[in-house]
Amino acid sequence: QVQLVESGGGLVQPGGSLRLSCAASGFTLDYYAIGWFRQAPGKEREGILCISSSDGTTYYVDSVKGRFTISSDNAKNTVYLQMNSLKPEDTAVYYCAAEMFGFCSSDPYEYDYWGQGTQVTVSS
């Protein structure tokens, strides 16, 4: 059974950091593209960045460049989203998603599997 499970969300003060994890089971991450998305209340789900063996790392939101990084640990079959210098506008539910052909995209409809999401709240 294919499954993605996010963890690591929580409440953090502005300027703080969080590391989100996306653990995959039922398939091997090596051949997939893994994207991170977020959805704030009342807004559409937006692609933040993606990693794949063919595309490397691709950013889709300028405001996270220099603050967010994505990495993968194939031995653990897990992808991480390191978020630094967090801002209140980063508050959202964060999702990881897998695209089975290994091509990154900012379009959520291109992705085949989704995690359940993890809440990130940036507030003082």
Side-chain angles (χ1 to χ4, degrees):
Q1 181 181 0
V2 173
Q3 193 173 16
L4 293 171
V5 178
E6 300 102 334
S7 61
L11 173 64
V12 63
Q13 292 187 341
S17 298
L18 283 174
R19 188 178 78 159
L20 306 184
S21 299
C22 173
S25 60
F27 69 100
T28 303
L29 285 177
D30 300 41
Y31 305 107
Y32 285 69
I34 302 297
W36 281 98
F37 292 76
R38 66 185 180 186
Q39 189 166 19
K43 295 187 177 181
E44 293 187 353
R45 191 168 299 188
E46 68 170 351
I48 308 170
L49 70 172
C50 176
I51 189 169
S52 73
S53 58
S54 59
D55 298 331
T57 299
T58 305
Y59 284 87
Y60 300 115
V61 177
D62 288 341
S63 65
V64 307
K65 290 180 180 178
R67 300 190 297 124
F68 291 12
T69 56
I70 190 172
S71 62
S72 64
D73 184 336
N74 289 340
K76 295 183 178 180
N77 220 30
T78 299
V79 172
Y80 302 98
L81 178 65
Q82 179 67 43
M83 305 187 295
N84 299 325
S85 302
L86 282 161
K87 304 175 181 181
E89 51 264 43
D90 294 319
T91 295
V93 178
Y94 283 70
Y95 300 88
C96 64
E99 192 280 337
M100 63 186 296
F101 294 106
F103 297 110
C104 282
S105 172
S106 62
D107 184 350
Y109 291 99
E110 295 292 330
Y111 289 78
D112 304 287
Y113 305 107
W114 288 84
Q116 82 287 354
T118 185
Q119 176 70 47
V120 171
T121 303
V122 185
S123 175
S124 55

